[in-house]
Structure formats: C-alpha cells, structure tokens
Amino acid sequence: MDLAYIPSPSTGVIHLGPIPLRGYAFCIILGVFVAVWLGNKRWIARGGTAGTVADIAVWAVPFGLVGGRLYHVITDYQLYFSEGENWVDAFKIWEGGLGIWGAIALGAVGAWIGCRRRGIALPAYADAIAPGIVFAQAIGRWGNWFNQELYGKPTDLPWALEISESGNRVAGLYHPTFLYESLWCVGVGFLVIWADRRFKLGHGRAFALYVAAYCVGRAWIEYMRVDEAHHILGLRLNVWTAIIVFLLAVVYIVVSARMRPGREEIVEPRSQKAAEAAGEAGDTEKDAAKDASEEAPEDAAAEAGAVSEDASGDVSPDGKKDASEEADGAERGAGTAAKG
C-alpha cells in the first residue's frame, strides 16, 4: 500500500468561462515574468537603465519559444511525422514540448538583435539575466506536472509521482524528474548569484556558469527519464548534448577569464552618456551660481557707497574743482570792476 506520493492534476486545463487556462502555458508565462523582473534588477545594479531588459526580451522570448519548439520537433520527429501521426500537432505548443537547448540557442539570437539595436554587448546582458533564466526553467518544469509528462523510472519512494492511465501512459508511481530538475535549477540560480557577487563575474562568465551547472544536473536527471528518445552509443541524445554544452561552457569560462579578466565597467553606453550629461549640467549650474555669488558682493558694495555719498551731501572731486574755479572767476570780476 502506498502511503505517500505526489498526485498529478486530473487535467492540465482550467476553464475560466469560455477561456481555457492551460497549466503548461501559465508556467511558461510566469517564468518569463520572473526572468525579466530579476534580470531588470540585476541590470540596474550593474549600471544599466530600467526597461532595457524588457525591451530586449521582446526579441529574445519569441525567438526562444520558436527555438525550443524546433529542437523538440526535430529531435522527436517521430511523434509528429510518423505513420498515423498528425503533423499539425507539431504546432500545438500548449500540449508541451520545448527543448531548452533550442530555446537558449535561438533565444540568444533574439537577444543579440535586441542588444545590437541598443548598442549593448550581449555577454553583459547574458550575465544579468542568467539567474532569472534558470529560475524561469524551475517554474516552467511544473508545466510538465500539469501535462503528466517527462517523468522517470518506477519507484516506491514517498515522493513518487502518480501518473494516471492514458493513451501513451501506464498508470503507476514514478520518479518526479520534473521536480528534481526544478529544484536543481533553483540551486543553480542561487549558485550563479553567489558566484557573481563573490568573484565579480563578467563578459558572459556568469551565464556560462549557469549553463555548465545546469548541464551537470540535466545529465543525471535525463538518464532517469523513461520517455521515448533517440540514443547514441547507449546514451540519450540530451545526455550527449548536456556533456558537449558543459565542456563548451567550461572552456569559455577559462578562456574568457584569461583574455578579459574582471567585469565590464560600462554595460549600457546610453546610461553612461546620460549620467555624463547630467554631471556636466550640474557642473554648469554650480559654476553659474559661484560666479553670481562672487559678483554680487562687489556690485552691492559699489551701490552702497554711492547711496552713502548722496545721503551725506559729499561731492565728487570734479565737483570741488568746478566750485573752486567759479569762486576764482568771481573774485577776478570784482577786482576788474573796482579798477574801472
């Protein structure tokens, strides 16, 4: 008798009147929101401007969704293009099926386009959003729980996942690999945040750390899954992908640290120019205020002196000279009159 297990939802869709709210889509949307929110906070902390992350996400998210779906359809083409299958189902993204490898690859292309439009270096942007992406993955994995997919081998552990009977499922208790990966992603997110603060990672190394750490967890979790997949030399395709991507990420971290040590001082040229312009405007105002304060005492003193002279009846030196000349003229006139 099974005393404990994780139940699966009886349906992956909740109807709000005529509007269907699909659990898988809801998890994806919530994950995107968290990624943009956290990425924006980290971007501002590194000297960027608010709203930049969201503006670039407008390019990255659609590209990522298309890339994730393409990877899934290509690697599991038999689900859509085999005899008896309906190829139209390849477009039904709400039924599940997003490959993270394709999502990151094509999402990076979209992010590059957005960064280029704003004059921003892609590695700096990638470092800022790396923890948010992996937290979004942690949330998105719960979409697999709603769809009862991507579970592991049978188990009798207390945290086993209950799977109900369906056309392509056998009822039973299985390893909740969606939960394992979700928890692993949360741990990777906090690892990247800690390492970024501790070692001041820059030039894309925080993003590369996220990729490498995620691949480690994905490899062993993938090995536990029992869903249909292509195998190469006895290993699932996604295990090989995780190994290759892990090695590439580690090589990038090592080479980048040697070629470009430290962290970028300026991540967004526009914000730097705005700060410099504000600083110049402030300096101009200070100089004008200083000049005004220096000229004011001199002008005030001169005006005060003039007012004081007028009030006391004093005359200027020129005025004294004119009065003296008039007096001398009067005396000469008087003498001439006496002689006459």
Side-chain angles (χ1 to χ4, degrees):
M1 178 179 180
D2 300 312
L3 298 179
Y5 56 84
I6 300 174
S8 291
S10 58
T11 178
V13 183
I14 300 176
H15 290 275
L16 300 177
I19 303 175
L21 178 61
R22 301 183 182 277
Y24 187 88
F26 176 76
C27 291
I28 297 298
I29 295 172
L30 181 60
V32 170
F33 173 80
V34 170
V36 172
W37 171 77
L38 181 58
N40 183 65
K41 292 190 64 175
R42 287 173 52 81
W43 185 252
I44 294 175
R46 293 194 60 179
T49 58
T52 296
V53 170
D55 291 343
I56 297 176
V58 171
W59 290 89
V61 172
F63 273 74
L65 291 175
V66 172
R69 188 60 175 178
L70 282 175
Y71 182 89
H72 168 71
V73 172
I74 292 173
T75 56
D76 291 312
Y77 62 88
Q78 72 281 355
L79 300 177
Y80 308 101
F81 303 105
S82 298
E83 185 178 354
E85 301 294 343
N86 187 358
W87 62 271
V88 177
D89 292 341
F91 297 95
K92 297 179 180 179
I93 190 172
W94 56 87
E95 293 183 354
L98 288 176
I100 186 60
W101 316 111
I104 294 298
L106 207 56
V109 174
W112 175 79
I113 295 174
C115 287
R116 187 175 179 82
R117 289 168 60 87
R118 297 183 68 95
I120 294 171
L122 178 60
Y125 179 81
D127 283 342
I129 65 173
I133 291 178
V134 73
F135 285 142
Q137 288 179 240
I139 297 172
R141 273 305 172 200
W142 284 86
N144 301 134
W145 176 63
F146 280 100
N147 287 350
Q148 295 195 45
E149 59 184 0
L150 306 185
Y151 45 86
K153 301 174 181 178
T155 181
D156 57 356
L157 292 172
W159 56 84
L161 175 66
E162 180 190 34
I163 297 297
S164 60
E165 183 74 25
S166 181
N168 57 353
R169 298 194 303 258
V170 177
L173 299 178
Y174 301 87
H175 276 285
T177 50
F178 85 90
L179 178 60
Y180 298 160
E181 186 168 340
S182 179
L183 295 176
W184 182 268
C185 287
V186 171
V188 171
F190 284 115
L191 170 66
V192 173
I193 292 175
W194 170 82
D196 191 30
R197 291 177 178 175
R198 175 67 176 79
F199 302 106
K200 303 296 182 183
L201 301 177
H203 302 285
R205 289 188 288 276
F207 185 84
L209 175 61
Y210 140 63
V211 172
Y214 170 75
C215 287
V216 173
R218 180 60 184 267
W220 68 266
I221 294 171
E222 185 75 23
Y223 187 74
M224 297 178 64
R225 283 167 47 172
V226 295
D227 55 300
E228 186 177 356
H230 296 287
H231 287 72
I232 300 176
L233 299 178
L235 293 179
R236 292 166 64 96
L237 174 61
N238 282 331
V239 174
W240 283 110
T241 304
I243 294 173
I244 295 172
V245 174
F246 168 81
L247 293 175
L248 292 175
V250 171
V251 170
Y252 179 87
I253 292 174
V254 174
V255 174
S256 175
R258 292 181 179 179
M259 296 181 62
R260 295 182 176 181
R263 175 186 284 180
E264 302 93 337
E265 294 183 0
I266 300 174
V267 296
E268 189 168 0
R270 291 185 182 182
S271 63
Q272 180 66 18
K273 291 180 181 179
E276 292 176 353
E280 292 176 357
D283 293 340
T284 302
E285 293 179 358
K286 290 180 180 179
D287 292 341
K290 182 178 179 181
D291 294 340
S293 63
E294 291 177 351
E295 293 175 358
E298 296 178 359
D299 295 341
E303 292 177 359
V307 172
S308 176
E309 290 179 358
D310 292 341
S312 61
D314 292 341
V315 295
S316 64
D318 292 338
K320 292 180 179 181
K321 181 178 179 181
D322 293 341
S324 176
E325 290 176 353
E326 291 177 358
D328 292 342
E331 291 178 357
R332 286 195 298 270
T336 300
K339 289 179 180 181

